[in-house]
Amino acid sequence: MRTTPTLALLAVLLLTLTGCGGTTTGGTSAGAPAAKSVILITPNPASTNSFLQLSVKGAQAAAKEIGASFKLYESKDPAGIAQNVDAAVRAKPTVIVGVSFSFDDVFATVPRQHPGQQFLQIDSCAKDPAPNLTCVSFKEHEAAYLAGVEAGLLSESGKIGIVLPIDSPFIHRWIDPFFTGAKAVNPKVTGTPLYVGGNTPFSDPARAKAQAQALAGQGADIIAAAASGGNQGVFEAAAEAHVKSFGVDVNQCPQSPGNVIDNVLKHVDVAEAAAIKDIAAGKTGGVKVYGLAEGGVGVNALGDDLASSQCTVAASPEVVAKVKQARDDIVSGKLVVADPLAG
């Protein structure tokens, strides 16, 4: 059927309502809106960001399970986030999902302005959340501590470093516990954090690589990559300098075989999917927190698939044993890892 000028104009107008991006999967037939729908909004493009890819995976899985359509709106900056949230509100889905602390400001106001719309924030929570805002957060600091234990036991130079996007209280959840864990098993260890900065701190492999090279030049023989989409740059620098590294969020050991010790894991997809299903079932509001005890965070050293993970810690069973003991102490309450966000 030939598209008329009027229909073509309408199509253009509909596309503009998606703000800075909109990828749709699992839709329904024309003229029959989905009874349920999930809209996920990311603060940055998900294509090069393993954490955001996990959030897409979790939302898609939940949408499929509850029989809902799924749309992805990818943002590029704070203005894009605001535009995408506005577009999502107009679409009136079952739930609007925003990922990371980048949504703290917008979710502090928009849910109160639209009490009939359900919102879900992943990996952070706006202050004084509205009743229609559900939050899922993680105790990243517990897993970062375990990675630090590994670093402290495996470092030969006694100097370790970490590359991060920006310097913020939330980002310190990866820094302070990592260095604390290292010092707990090797008091002589010194740690240095360096930040990517720039216009795209969460997706700049070149700047991340330069910072990792600087750390290697200062004598660090272990450099943790917590630079989000810039992690590959850290892995490249570590491999070239013949030092070891750590990854985050997912198993990144295969990205640089033989060079990545372990990863600070965060099971975002599982926690997010559970929250979306709860909201669809009418269980809304509140903050759900996942740590080691809840299985929400961890390291590959604790997994049953460690042998096939390609993580180099698999070759150090004595280190794995120390990590498991530290995990048990944290879960039991014998060891409390300080949360930088708690002051």
PDB file of all heavy atoms in Angstrom, residues 320-341:
ATOM      1  N   VAL A 320      41.828 -18.043  45.911  1.00  0.00           N
ATOM      2  CA  VAL A 320      40.398 -18.334  45.853  1.00  0.00           C
ATOM      3  C   VAL A 320      39.876 -18.699  47.239  1.00  0.00           C
ATOM      4  O   VAL A 320      38.792 -18.264  47.651  1.00  0.00           O
ATOM      5  CB  VAL A 320      40.103 -19.470  44.852  1.00  0.00           C
ATOM      6  CG1 VAL A 320      38.636 -19.888  44.917  1.00  0.00           C
ATOM      7  CG2 VAL A 320      40.461 -19.028  43.432  1.00  0.00           C
ATOM      8  N   ALA A 321      40.658 -19.476  47.977  1.00  0.00           N
ATOM      9  CA  ALA A 321      40.250 -19.871  49.328  1.00  0.00           C
ATOM     10  C   ALA A 321      40.129 -18.658  50.245  1.00  0.00           C
ATOM     11  O   ALA A 321      39.184 -18.562  51.053  1.00  0.00           O
ATOM     12  CB  ALA A 321      41.258 -20.871  49.899  1.00  0.00           C
ATOM     13  N   LYS A 322      41.060 -17.717  50.125  1.00  0.00           N
ATOM     14  CA  LYS A 322      41.008 -16.499  50.943  1.00  0.00           C
ATOM     15  C   LYS A 322      39.790 -15.643  50.572  1.00  0.00           C
ATOM     16  O   LYS A 322      39.155 -15.043  51.452  1.00  0.00           O
ATOM     17  CB  LYS A 322      42.292 -15.685  50.737  1.00  0.00           C
ATOM     18  CG  LYS A 322      43.549 -16.302  51.338  1.00  0.00           C
ATOM     19  CD  LYS A 322      43.518 -16.211  52.851  1.00  0.00           C
ATOM     20  CE  LYS A 322      44.819 -16.748  53.465  1.00  0.00           C
ATOM     21  NZ  LYS A 322      45.980 -15.893  53.178  1.00  0.00           N
ATOM     22  N   VAL A 323      39.470 -15.603  49.292  1.00  0.00           N
ATOM     23  CA  VAL A 323      38.303 -14.839  48.845  1.00  0.00           C
ATOM     24  C   VAL A 323      37.015 -15.453  49.391  1.00  0.00           C
ATOM     25  O   VAL A 323      36.119 -14.739  49.852  1.00  0.00           O
ATOM     26  CB  VAL A 323      38.253 -14.785  47.302  1.00  0.00           C
ATOM     27  CG1 VAL A 323      36.939 -14.189  46.820  1.00  0.00           C
ATOM     28  CG2 VAL A 323      39.415 -13.961  46.771  1.00  0.00           C
ATOM     29  N   LYS A 324      36.923 -16.752  49.342  1.00  0.00           N
ATOM     30  CA  LYS A 324      35.729 -17.427  49.861  1.00  0.00           C
ATOM     31  C   LYS A 324      35.575 -17.197  51.359  1.00  0.00           C
ATOM     32  O   LYS A 324      34.459 -17.004  51.860  1.00  0.00           O
ATOM     33  CB  LYS A 324      35.791 -18.923  49.550  1.00  0.00           C
ATOM     34  CG  LYS A 324      35.597 -19.225  48.070  1.00  0.00           C
ATOM     35  CD  LYS A 324      35.615 -20.725  47.800  1.00  0.00           C
ATOM     36  CE  LYS A 324      35.327 -21.004  46.314  1.00  0.00           C
ATOM     37  NZ  LYS A 324      35.351 -22.462  46.007  1.00  0.00           N
ATOM     38  N   GLN A 325      36.692 -17.176  52.089  1.00  0.00           N
ATOM     39  CA  GLN A 325      36.627 -16.919  53.522  1.00  0.00           C
ATOM     40  C   GLN A 325      36.160 -15.495  53.796  1.00  0.00           C
ATOM     41  O   GLN A 325      35.332 -15.256  54.682  1.00  0.00           O
ATOM     42  CB  GLN A 325      38.001 -17.145  54.168  1.00  0.00           C
ATOM     43  CG  GLN A 325      38.004 -16.962  55.690  1.00  0.00           C
ATOM     44  CD  GLN A 325      37.058 -17.916  56.390  1.00  0.00           C
ATOM     45  OE1 GLN A 325      37.194 -19.132  56.258  1.00  0.00           O
ATOM     46  NE2 GLN A 325      36.087 -17.390  57.131  1.00  0.00           N
ATOM     47  N   ALA A 326      36.678 -14.549  53.014  1.00  0.00           N
ATOM     48  CA  ALA A 326      36.256 -13.151  53.168  1.00  0.00           C
ATOM     49  C   ALA A 326      34.771 -13.016  52.849  1.00  0.00           C
ATOM     50  O   ALA A 326      34.038 -12.297  53.544  1.00  0.00           O
ATOM     51  CB  ALA A 326      37.086 -12.251  52.259  1.00  0.00           C
ATOM     52  N   ARG A 327      34.319 -13.702  51.801  1.00  0.00           N
ATOM     53  CA  ARG A 327      32.896 -13.689  51.459  1.00  0.00           C
ATOM     54  C   ARG A 327      32.050 -14.207  52.617  1.00  0.00           C
ATOM     55  O   ARG A 327      31.039 -13.593  52.999  1.00  0.00           O
ATOM     56  CB  ARG A 327      32.666 -14.548  50.204  1.00  0.00           C
ATOM     57  CG  ARG A 327      31.236 -14.578  49.656  1.00  0.00           C
ATOM     58  CD  ARG A 327      30.371 -15.712  50.252  1.00  0.00           C
ATOM     59  NE  ARG A 327      31.035 -16.977  50.323  1.00  0.00           N
ATOM     60  CZ  ARG A 327      31.060 -17.889  49.331  1.00  0.00           C
ATOM     61  NH1 ARG A 327      30.464 -17.629  48.194  1.00  0.00           N
ATOM     62  NH2 ARG A 327      31.683 -19.048  49.519  1.00  0.00           N
ATOM     63  N   ASP A 328      32.453 -15.327  53.195  1.00  0.00           N
ATOM     64  CA  ASP A 328      31.707 -15.910  54.305  1.00  0.00           C
ATOM     65  C   ASP A 328      31.671 -14.960  55.509  1.00  0.00           C
ATOM     66  O   ASP A 328      30.642 -14.842  56.189  1.00  0.00           O
ATOM     67  CB  ASP A 328      32.324 -17.240  54.717  1.00  0.00           C
ATOM     68  CG  ASP A 328      32.168 -18.321  53.647  1.00  0.00           C
ATOM     69  OD1 ASP A 328      31.342 -18.126  52.738  1.00  0.00           O
ATOM     70  OD2 ASP A 328      32.889 -19.337  53.723  1.00  0.00           O
ATOM     71  N   ASP A 329      32.774 -14.285  55.761  1.00  0.00           N
ATOM     72  CA  ASP A 329      32.829 -13.355  56.892  1.00  0.00           C
ATOM     73  C   ASP A 329      31.912 -12.157  56.674  1.00  0.00           C
ATOM     74  O   ASP A 329      31.287 -11.650  57.607  1.00  0.00           O
ATOM     75  CB  ASP A 329      34.275 -12.862  57.110  1.00  0.00           C
ATOM     76  CG  ASP A 329      35.181 -13.951  57.666  1.00  0.00           C
ATOM     77  OD1 ASP A 329      34.659 -14.978  58.152  1.00  0.00           O
ATOM     78  OD2 ASP A 329      36.421 -13.781  57.610  1.00  0.00           O
ATOM     79  N   ILE A 330      31.808 -11.702  55.429  1.00  0.00           N
ATOM     80  CA  ILE A 330      30.927 -10.570  55.120  1.00  0.00           C
ATOM     81  C   ILE A 330      29.463 -10.992  55.243  1.00  0.00           C
ATOM     82  O   ILE A 330      28.644 -10.288  55.840  1.00  0.00           O
ATOM     83  CB  ILE A 330      31.221 -10.039  53.704  1.00  0.00           C
ATOM     84  CG1 ILE A 330      32.604  -9.390  53.659  1.00  0.00           C
ATOM     85  CG2 ILE A 330      30.155  -9.019  53.290  1.00  0.00           C
ATOM     86  CD1 ILE A 330      33.069  -9.021  52.267  1.00  0.00           C
ATOM     87  N   VAL A 331      29.133 -12.136  54.703  1.00  0.00           N
ATOM     88  CA  VAL A 331      27.754 -12.619  54.754  1.00  0.00           C
ATOM     89  C   VAL A 331      27.304 -12.871  56.192  1.00  0.00           C
ATOM     90  O   VAL A 331      26.156 -12.579  56.560  1.00  0.00           O
ATOM     91  CB  VAL A 331      27.602 -13.899  53.903  1.00  0.00           C
ATOM     92  CG1 VAL A 331      26.232 -14.536  54.122  1.00  0.00           C
ATOM     93  CG2 VAL A 331      27.795 -13.576  52.428  1.00  0.00           C
ATOM     94  N   SER A 332      28.197 -13.380  57.009  1.00  0.00           N
ATOM     95  CA  SER A 332      27.850 -13.681  58.404  1.00  0.00           C
ATOM     96  C   SER A 332      27.800 -12.435  59.281  1.00  0.00           C
ATOM     97  O   SER A 332      27.247 -12.472  60.384  1.00  0.00           O
ATOM     98  CB  SER A 332      28.866 -14.666  58.994  1.00  0.00           C
ATOM     99  OG  SER A 332      30.138 -14.039  59.166  1.00  0.00           O
ATOM    100  N   GLY A 333      28.371 -11.347  58.796  1.00  0.00           N
ATOM    101  CA  GLY A 333      28.406 -10.124  59.592  1.00  0.00           C
ATOM    102  C   GLY A 333      29.671  -9.967  60.396  1.00  0.00           C
ATOM    103  O   GLY A 333      29.877  -8.945  61.061  1.00  0.00           O
ATOM    104  N   LYS A 334      30.531 -10.964  60.335  1.00  0.00           N
ATOM    105  CA  LYS A 334      31.811 -10.875  61.050  1.00  0.00           C
ATOM    106  C   LYS A 334      32.673  -9.754  60.485  1.00  0.00           C
ATOM    107  O   LYS A 334      33.412  -9.092  61.223  1.00  0.00           O
ATOM    108  CB  LYS A 334      32.535 -12.223  60.957  1.00  0.00           C
ATOM    109  CG  LYS A 334      33.879 -12.272  61.684  1.00  0.00           C
ATOM    110  CD  LYS A 334      34.518 -13.646  61.557  1.00  0.00           C
ATOM    111  CE  LYS A 334      35.874 -13.696  62.263  1.00  0.00           C
ATOM    112  NZ  LYS A 334      36.501 -15.055  62.132  1.00  0.00           N
ATOM    113  N   LEU A 335      32.582  -9.542  59.188  1.00  0.00           N
ATOM    114  CA  LEU A 335      33.332  -8.483  58.515  1.00  0.00           C
ATOM    115  C   LEU A 335      32.344  -7.538  57.854  1.00  0.00           C
ATOM    116  O   LEU A 335      31.493  -7.964  57.076  1.00  0.00           O
ATOM    117  CB  LEU A 335      34.274  -9.085  57.458  1.00  0.00           C
ATOM    118  CG  LEU A 335      34.991  -8.116  56.510  1.00  0.00           C
ATOM    119  CD1 LEU A 335      35.872  -7.161  57.281  1.00  0.00           C
ATOM    120  CD2 LEU A 335      35.788  -8.890  55.471  1.00  0.00           C
ATOM    121  N   VAL A 336      32.444  -6.267  58.177  1.00  0.00           N
ATOM    122  CA  VAL A 336      31.572  -5.255  57.575  1.00  0.00           C
ATOM    123  C   VAL A 336      32.401  -4.356  56.683  1.00  0.00           C
ATOM    124  O   VAL A 336      33.360  -3.716  57.140  1.00  0.00           O
ATOM    125  CB  VAL A 336      30.868  -4.398  58.657  1.00  0.00           C
ATOM    126  CG1 VAL A 336      30.016  -3.323  57.998  1.00  0.00           C
ATOM    127  CG2 VAL A 336      29.998  -5.283  59.549  1.00  0.00           C
ATOM    128  N   VAL A 337      32.057  -4.315  55.410  1.00  0.00           N
ATOM    129  CA  VAL A 337      32.772  -3.463  54.459  1.00  0.00           C
ATOM    130  C   VAL A 337      32.112  -2.088  54.444  1.00  0.00           C
ATOM    131  O   VAL A 337      30.912  -1.976  54.196  1.00  0.00           O
ATOM    132  CB  VAL A 337      32.730  -4.072  53.042  1.00  0.00           C
ATOM    133  CG1 VAL A 337      33.489  -3.177  52.073  1.00  0.00           C
ATOM    134  CG2 VAL A 337      33.338  -5.475  53.054  1.00  0.00           C
ATOM    135  N   ALA A 338      32.880  -1.078  54.761  1.00  0.00           N
ATOM    136  CA  ALA A 338      32.342   0.286  54.821  1.00  0.00           C
ATOM    137  C   ALA A 338      31.828   0.711  53.446  1.00  0.00           C
ATOM    138  O   ALA A 338      32.486   0.484  52.427  1.00  0.00           O
ATOM    139  CB  ALA A 338      33.414   1.251  55.301  1.00  0.00           C
ATOM    140  N   ASP A 339      30.660   1.325  53.443  1.00  0.00           N
ATOM    141  CA  ASP A 339      30.049   1.826  52.210  1.00  0.00           C
ATOM    142  C   ASP A 339      30.383   3.305  52.057  1.00  0.00           C
ATOM    143  O   ASP A 339      29.938   4.121  52.857  1.00  0.00           O
ATOM    144  CB  ASP A 339      28.533   1.644  52.269  1.00  0.00           C
ATOM    145  CG  ASP A 339      27.828   2.107  51.008  1.00  0.00           C
ATOM    146  OD1 ASP A 339      28.506   2.619  50.099  1.00  0.00           O
ATOM    147  OD2 ASP A 339      26.594   1.966  50.942  1.00  0.00           O
ATOM    148  N   PRO A 340      31.162   3.678  51.042  1.00  0.00           N
ATOM    149  CA  PRO A 340      31.515   5.090  50.850  1.00  0.00           C
ATOM    150  C   PRO A 340      30.316   6.008  50.736  1.00  0.00           C
ATOM    151  O   PRO A 340      30.385   7.175  51.123  1.00  0.00           O
ATOM    152  CB  PRO A 340      32.313   5.065  49.544  1.00  0.00           C
ATOM    153  CG  PRO A 340      32.911   3.700  49.505  1.00  0.00           C
ATOM    154  CD  PRO A 340      31.842   2.803  50.062  1.00  0.00           C
ATOM    155  N   LEU A 341      29.190   5.490  50.233  1.00  0.00           N
ATOM    156  CA  LEU A 341      27.990   6.319  50.112  1.00  0.00           C
ATOM    157  C   LEU A 341      27.368   6.627  51.456  1.00  0.00           C
ATOM    158  O   LEU A 341      26.587   7.575  51.580  1.00  0.00           O
ATOM    159  CB  LEU A 341      26.968   5.617  49.219  1.00  0.00           C
ATOM    160  CG  LEU A 341      27.093   5.829  47.712  1.00  0.00           C
ATOM    161  CD1 LEU A 341      25.972   5.092  46.989  1.00  0.00           C
ATOM    162  CD2 LEU A 341      27.067   7.297  47.371  1.00  0.00           C
TER     163      LEU A 341
END
